[in-house]
Amino acid sequence: DTGVSQDPRHKITKRGQNVTFRCDPISEHNRLYWYRQTLGQGPEFLTYFQNEAQLEKSRLLSDRFSAERPKGSFSTLEIQRTEQGDSAMYLCASTLDQTEAFFGQGTRLTVV
Amino acid sequence: GENVEQHPSTLSVQEGDSAVIKCTYSDSASNYFPWYKQELGKGPQLIIDIRSNVGEKKDQRIAVTLNKTAKHFSLHITETQPEDSAVYFCAASAYQKVTFGTGTKLQVIP
């Protein structure tokens, strides 16, 4: 296992379309986080899972956003009816309990 | 919730000089303070971290200090090299959630 993997790396979509991103964490890591990063800013917390349970969601995560981690391994983040303001880098990170978080390379979303 | 402030937003230093980045946090429950380096087009990469029971930690040219009373923590890079050029983020963790600062763009001039 070489680290956290995210797919796709880049996504361009038209406004109003739905998109789904995937994150494969480091295999033994039980916690998985989603962050959003806009240009010139630090990553902003969206949500996190402990195993398959979604334990916290940020107020940034509107009802158009949904995340799942059905088997406690990979996770998906879906954005419905995308808006231009959704354009950002979506980062996934995983940790084992309270150890260091490892980030993936991110998925850059552009909504046109 | 936690609020992390980071300064400066940009920093230029000559190769070989030291660079210092400072952060403050608001939530006294934060007990873990990682620092990340992010290069263009890549995800953040952990470079060093410190826990609240330690005041200082060093790893080769990189050191972090933590003042829990004042809720301050800092990153020190000595003998900077051009490959240190990147954006650096401090972060504070409480209740399993990591809150990031706004980043410092470090430029090391050869």
Side-chain angles (χ1 to χ4, degrees):
Chain A
D1 193 328
T2 57
V4 178
S5 176
Q6 290 188 247
D7 183 70
R9 292 290 310 278
H10 304 275
K11 178 71 177 179
I12 300 174
T13 191
K14 291 184 178 179
R15 190 173 51 186
Q17 297 294 304
N18 299 343
V19 294
T20 300
F21 311 141
R22 177 179 170 124
C23 172
D24 286 90
I26 293 173
S27 58
E28 65 268 26
H29 285 184
N30 56 349
R31 291 183 182 165
L32 186 149
Y33 299 78
W34 284 100
Y35 284 82
R36 182 173 70 186
Q37 186 177 27
T38 53
L39 200 62
Q41 297 296 315
E44 295 174 296
F45 170 80
L46 292 179
T47 188
Y48 97 94
F49 293 83
Q50 179 153 322
N51 301 312
E52 64 274 13
Q54 189 173 17
L55 296 187
E56 187 174 346
K57 293 193 290 186
S58 163
R59 56 183 171 78
L60 294 175
L61 213 65
S62 77
D63 56 6
R64 296 185 298 106
F65 288 69
S66 62
E68 294 183 343
R69 194 183 183 198
K71 297 181 181 178
S73 57
F74 74 91
S75 176
T76 58
L77 177 68
E78 181 184 15
I79 309 174
Q80 296 181 327
R81 305 181 302 282
T82 51
E83 301 172 357
Q84 286 188 321
D86 296 332
S87 296
M89 174 80 87
Y90 290 84
L91 292 163
C92 174
S94 71
T95 77
L96 178 63
D97 296 321
Q98 289 187 309
T99 58
E100 62 189 89
F102 290 86
F103 280 84
Q105 300 279 49
T107 293
R108 180 167 294 285
L109 172 67
T110 303
V111 181
V112 297
Chain B
E2 176 65 276
N3 181 47
V4 178
E5 294 191 356
Q6 181 171 351
H7 301 280
S9 57
T10 60
L11 180 59
S12 291
V13 298
Q14 291 291 134
E15 183 178 357
D17 287 350
S18 295
V20 180
I21 303 170
K22 298 183 178 182
C23 290
T24 60
Y25 63 100
S26 61
D27 191 342
S28 56
S30 289
N31 58 4
Y32 174 63
F33 305 90
W35 286 86
Y36 287 86
K37 177 182 181 181
Q38 188 172 29
E39 297 174 338
L40 201 61
K42 297 185 178 181
Q45 181 179 15
L46 182 77
I47 54 171
I48 195 168
D49 56 13
I50 190 168
R51 296 192 181 272
S52 59
N53 57 346
V54 175
E56 185 173 353
K57 182 177 179 180
K58 190 173 182 180
D59 182 5
Q60 298 182 347
R61 297 186 296 109
I62 297 174
V64 291
T65 59
L66 171 65
N67 182 332
K68 279 198 68 181
T69 303
K71 297 194 182 74
H72 290 175
F73 58 117
S74 301
L75 176 73
H76 304 250
I77 306 174
T78 58
E79 300 170 23
T80 52
Q81 301 167 4
E83 52 265 37
D84 294 330
S85 296
V87 179
Y88 291 81
F89 292 98
C90 63
S93 177
Y95 313 111
Q96 292 83 48
K97 190 172 75 176
V98 179
T99 303
F100 286 81
T102 49
T104 296
K105 185 174 182 179
L106 174 64
Q107 183 183 19
V108 179
I109 303 166

